[in-house]
Amino acid sequence: MNKNVKLLLIIILTAVISSGLTLTLAKPETIVQEKEVQQNPDFAKLVDTYEKLEQKYYQKTDKEKMVDGAINGMVESLGDPYSAYMNAEDSKSFNETISSSFEGIGAELQEIDGQVMIVSPIKGSPAEKAGLKPKDKIIKVNGKSVKGKTVNDTVALIRGEKGTPVKLGIERGGSQQLEFSITRDEIPIETVYTNVTDDNIGRIQVTTFSEKTAADFSKAVKNLEEKEVKGIVIDLRQNPGGLMDEAIKMSEMFIPEGKNILQVENKDGSREAYRSENKDPVTIPSAVVVDEGTASAGEIMAAALNESADIPLFGEKTFGKGTIQTAEQYKDGSSIKFTIAKWLTPGGTWVHKKGIEPGEKVSLPSYAKLPYLDPSKPLKPGDASKEVKTAQAFLNALGYRTEENGLFDPKMKEAVMNYQKDHDLKQTGIIEKDTAISMLTSLQELVKKNDTQMNKAIEALKK
């Protein structure tokens, strides 16, 4: 494929919480030239309002803030969660973190109906380690409500330096209220991870699509080919998207010449097909694993491989984000990002707000979706709460039987002490910080060991 694709596919315009406003996007290449508006009657009211406020408002006005507010208002009037205006400071931070590491908690965000929602935590990030999950809604930051605030506003409250804490109030499942205390850290932009199973099946996990993802993915595939693996599982779970051109390059590696990778539908309804030009596609039997955190460019790749390379999909229905954004920068360093088109699957399906249903539906064990166990809140005998019930579910999943009744009774204390004994912890019968962290780690290891979605894909390739 020799088309110079410069479209930016964005799952969320202010996606990664960090010390700056960051997202894995290519730097904006188009400089928007400011135009004289006096000759355009549509702007007469805007200019008149600006002049009246500047001349007659009873206090001194901030011209920059007024202009920023006007632009931001125009973008917000679109009602599109994927379009946004960023001032020079946020735009600078945004661009600086595209191909480097950044400091933050590492979570992809999206704004829906006035609420900021987590699309996916980044692999290995503080957000993932703390237990944040896709579709968690952020309702408080450091005890202050963020209801009605934009993604930009919320990110401004959350971002901060490495080593500093931030408390997030989360609404999960429409009713459950949780609080997370997360320490910000440096988040490396490493997006491709690979290993080989004992059954000689190669696994490639792609966490997001950034500037070097396609190159790293190509190296991983070639490495597995040299090892003569029996099959390849491409893990796109919790992948919130990123650069569209990277997803296209990666998909084309598996798609024969002439077949569609995707279609783009423009404002006027016209469509353009992006077709593979690969005369020597990868022929190793392959499979793709997806879930509700697979979005945007991740969905492009999943759909392309499934429809044009007959590669089966395993897991759960994807997020459903089917629009394309571009980024343009003003001379003062500020920028706007806005939706310019729809993307469609090779066969012409628009997955927006619908998602992609895998052919092989596989769910993770129920304990993989347990609520977060907060290490900052000790649980002791006599306590009765939802947090106690969560801890009981953790203990049961880890093989320490107790009733899940929300009451820290003698049976639960015995289970806690047995867990502490088996894990070389002080046997207090109280779930304090060290015990809670150990239980979180043990559960993560259990989920990894019993990864039913990955195991199903591997079994299919072994046949």
Side-chain angles (χ1 to χ4, degrees):
M1 184 193 66
N2 55 15
K3 295 181 180 178
N4 187 19
V5 183
K6 293 300 180 183
L7 301 176
L8 305 180
L9 189 72
I10 309 172
I11 179 56
I12 180 63
L13 302 173
T14 52
V16 182
I17 303 172
S18 71
S19 57
L21 201 58
T22 67
L23 181 67
T24 51
L25 297 173
K27 296 179 181 178
E29 298 185 4
T30 303
I31 303 299
V32 178
Q33 301 295 332
E34 287 84 344
K35 299 177 181 178
E36 293 295 329
V37 300
Q38 286 84 350
Q39 297 179 358
N40 190 332
D42 292 338
F43 287 93
K45 185 177 179 180
L46 180 64
V47 174
D48 186 55
T49 301
Y50 173 83
E51 292 177 346
K52 276 185 171 62
L53 292 174
E54 184 183 8
Q55 296 169 10
K56 300 180 179 181
Y57 187 66
Y58 84 107
Q59 291 182 334
K60 186 177 180 180
T61 60
D62 186 320
K63 297 179 181 180
E64 184 178 346
K65 282 187 177 180
M66 286 200 296
V67 172
D68 284 352
I71 298 173
N72 191 55
M74 280 191 284
V75 177
E76 285 189 353
S77 73
L78 300 172
D80 179 9
Y82 305 107
S83 297
Y85 169 73
M86 298 197 309
N87 61 30
E89 180 183 355
D90 288 338
S91 185
K92 180 175 181 292
S93 298
F94 174 89
N95 292 327
E96 285 176 347
T97 56
I98 289 170
S99 56
S100 63
S101 63
F102 61 89
E103 293 179 356
I105 69 168
E108 309 283 344
L109 302 183
Q110 176 185 2
E111 182 185 341
I112 296 181
D113 298 329
Q115 286 191 303
V116 177
M117 182 177 74
I118 291 173
V119 174
S120 176
I122 294 174
K123 179 180 174 64
S125 69
E128 183 191 52
K129 292 176 181 177
L132 293 180
K133 299 180 181 297
K135 297 186 178 181
D136 280 348
K137 294 179 180 178
I138 300 175
I139 55 177
K140 290 182 180 180
V141 178
N142 289 328
K144 296 182 179 180
S145 173
V146 293
K147 184 178 180 180
K149 289 187 178 294
T150 64
V151 173
N152 288 4
D153 293 336
T154 305
V155 168
L157 293 172
I158 297 174
R159 65 190 180 188
E161 296 181 359
K162 175 182 177 180
T164 58
V166 60
K167 288 187 178 181
L168 300 186
I170 295 293
E171 179 183 293
R172 180 173 291 170
S175 59
Q176 190 175 20
Q177 304 286 318
L178 305 169
E179 184 175 88
F180 294 77
S181 181
I182 306 173
T183 301
R184 303 175 180 100
D185 200 354
E186 184 174 356
I187 313 298
I189 308 299
E190 185 176 351
T191 62
V192 178
Y193 302 81
T194 184
N195 69 299
V196 179
T197 70
D198 293 338
D199 299 310
N200 200 30
I201 300 293
R203 297 190 295 189
I204 305 178
Q205 182 182 20
V206 183
T207 59
T208 189
F209 295 85
S210 62
E211 288 181 335
K212 298 180 180 180
T213 303
D216 291 343
F217 182 79
S218 178
K219 290 178 184 177
V221 172
K222 290 178 181 177
N223 179 263
L224 293 177
E225 287 180 321
E226 290 172 358
K227 292 181 177 179
E228 298 182 349
V229 295
K230 297 178 181 178
I232 297 175
V233 179
I234 301 170
D235 189 353
L236 297 178
R237 291 175 296 179
Q238 306 297 299
N239 185 319
L243 297 178
M244 174 174 162
D245 55 341
E246 296 294 296
I248 291 175
K249 292 174 187 175
M250 293 159 67
S251 301
E252 188 174 29
M253 292 179 62
F254 293 79
I255 296 175
E257 181 182 21
K259 289 196 172 185
N260 285 353
I261 300 173
L262 82 160
Q263 298 183 51
V264 172
E265 184 174 309
N266 301 306
K267 185 175 184 177
D268 61 5
S270 62
R271 292 186 181 183
E272 180 181 9
Y274 289 81
R275 296 185 176 87
S276 173
E277 296 181 1
N278 188 359
K279 297 180 180 180
D280 186 27
V282 175
T283 57
I284 298 174
S286 301
V288 175
V289 185
V290 297
D291 66 5
E292 60 183 4
T294 306
S296 196
E299 291 174 293
I300 282 182
M301 186 171 184
L305 297 183
N306 181 237
E307 294 186 12
S308 293
D310 295 324
I311 293 176
L313 305 183
F314 295 80
E316 298 174 298
K317 185 172 73 171
T318 63
F319 185 83
K321 193 272 185 179
T323 55
I324 300 169
Q325 284 71 42
T326 191
E328 297 189 357
Q329 193 172 63
Y330 293 99
K331 289 188 292 186
D332 67 355
S334 60
S335 60
I336 58 172
K337 299 172 184 63
F338 54 97
T339 301
I340 57 173
K342 302 175 181 178
W343 70 263
L344 314 176
T345 69
T349 300
W350 195 35
V351 304
H352 198 61
K353 295 184 179 180
K354 301 175 183 176
I356 301 169
E357 292 280 2
E360 295 285 342
K361 296 181 181 179
V362 187
S363 297
L364 290 173
S366 58
Y367 52 75
K369 296 184 179 181
L370 282 176
Y372 177 63
L373 184 62
D374 191 347
S376 68
K377 295 182 178 180
L379 302 175
K380 60 185 182 303
D383 287 349
S385 65
K386 291 186 295 185
E387 288 75 17
V388 170
K389 189 172 183 179
T390 295
Q392 290 170 333
F394 267 70
L395 289 166
N396 282 324
L398 296 171
Y400 298 86
R401 308 308 301 172
T402 184
E403 297 293 331
E404 294 185 26
N405 54 15
L407 176 63
F408 204 131
D409 54 20
K411 187 173 182 179
M412 180 177 178
K413 180 180 179 180
E414 181 183 359
V416 172
M417 292 185 70
N418 286 335
Y419 177 87
Q420 291 171 330
K421 179 181 179 181
D422 292 344
H423 293 79
D424 296 324
L425 297 166
K426 189 175 181 180
Q427 297 174 49
T428 62
I430 298 173
I431 301 178
E432 30 59 55
K433 183 178 179 179
D434 289 345
T435 299
I437 292 174
S438 176
M439 290 171 65
L440 284 165
T441 301
S442 295
L443 190 70
Q444 290 174 347
E445 292 174 351
L446 182 64
V447 172
K448 185 176 181 180
K449 181 179 179 181
N450 296 315
D451 188 342
T452 51
Q453 295 169 339
M454 178 61 68
N455 292 343
K456 186 74 171 179
I458 290 174
E459 286 300 316
L461 293 176
K462 286 167 58 179
K463 294 179 180 179

